[in-house]
Amino acid sequence: MRKASVIIASIILLSAICFNTTGCKGESSEPESAESTSVTDSIGQEEAIADTIEETPMPTAADMLFEDFIFNFASNRKLQTSRITFPLPVIENGNKTYINKRQWPTEHFFIDKDYYTLIFGNRKQMNAMNDTAVSHVTLENILFDQKSIKQYKFSRIGGKWMLTEIESMPISESQNASFLDFYERFAIDNEFQIESMNDIVEFSAPDPDNDFANMSGTLLPDQWPAFKPEFMPTDSLYNFIYGNAIENSSQRIFIIEGVASGMRTEMTFRLKNGKWVLTKFNS
């Protein structure tokens, strides 16, 4: 996936220029404190980056796949307001209100967190990520501390992705309620992780002795601490739902994807005797 490489490259390039010059601001004959200079440089650099991104047009091809579009949408405030159907319906606790363009706060979604997640019921659903025929995608912000989910609903209208509605709901009403309840504990409880492993877990990861190869095999529960993911989000998740709702299956494929780091972790869980267990782990 491209992850808006043009935008990310622009940010990196502009940041490098600012770092190696006079802080992206004019010279001054008056001496400044180190703290004042640092704050001014940081603000000036952020504003310059935002302005550069705003003036960088989104490639037409980015509307083909939602993933390409959403990285542009989250990074470009000017593009963002042009891709929202105002007045935008906002549904909370069954009540519908509307917000206009002036009330809209720029939403950066997962860009600030440097990761997002994906939850699928099977491999067929995963293929929808690369299906240019998909015309509806829901971006979820799952907030464990608030026990709630905020859904941003996008539709492709006239060949362009548009945000058409926002809806909030309790996690308990989600199609992933059972799995999310399980994952919230799994992410923070080491003993529970081991208890939640299948008798044998299929395993694949980069070979530490060969940068160009992977190692694969099976993991026993007592080997998990040595191979477990270095990072599992615990406070909130961002999740994409492509097309139709996830089928009520006994499987969940959970993916943690780095925005620009290249980090990717994939874990497959199955319901076994009423409990979710880890059956496959790739990193």
Side-chain angles (χ1 to χ4, degrees), residues 97-108:
T97 57
Y98 294 86
I99 60 175
N100 58 40
K101 187 174 182 178
R102 287 178 298 176
Q103 296 171 309
W104 176 257
T106 301
E107 177 59 76
H108 295 293

Side-chain angles (χ1 to χ4, degrees), residues 137-200:
V137 176
T138 298
L139 171 56
E140 294 187 319
N141 185 10
I142 301 164
L143 303 167
F144 288 119
D145 59 341
Q146 299 178 24
K147 303 296 182 184
S148 68
I149 299 177
K150 195 170 188 177
Q151 295 185 328
Y152 299 81
K153 300 180 181 182
F154 292 83
S155 295
R156 187 149 47 190
I157 302 172
K160 294 182 178 181
W161 284 106
M162 302 289 294
L163 175 61
T164 59
E165 186 179 270
I166 297 175
E167 182 175 6
S168 297
M169 66 176 65
I171 288 179
S172 59
E173 294 182 9
S174 167
Q175 57 194 2
N176 286 315
S178 171
F179 175 75
L180 291 173
D181 184 58
F182 159 81
Y183 173 81
E184 184 180 12
R185 182 180 175 187
F186 183 86
I188 61 175
D189 189 330
N190 294 330
E191 291 186 5
F192 184 65
Q193 290 173 14
I194 294 176
E195 294 172 6
S196 301
M197 295 183 66
N198 197 34
D199 295 336
I200 296 179

Side-chain angles (χ1 to χ4, degrees), residues 212-230:
F212 304 98
N214 280 357
M215 55 185 293
S216 59
T218 57
L219 278 180
L220 297 176
D222 59 0
Q223 295 175 303
W224 174 250
F227 293 93
K228 62 181 289 187
E230 294 183 7

Side-chain angles (χ1 to χ4, degrees), residues 38 55 97 149-150 237 269:
S38 176
E55 297 308 315
T97 57
I149 299 177
K150 195 170 188 177
L237 304 177
F269 298 87

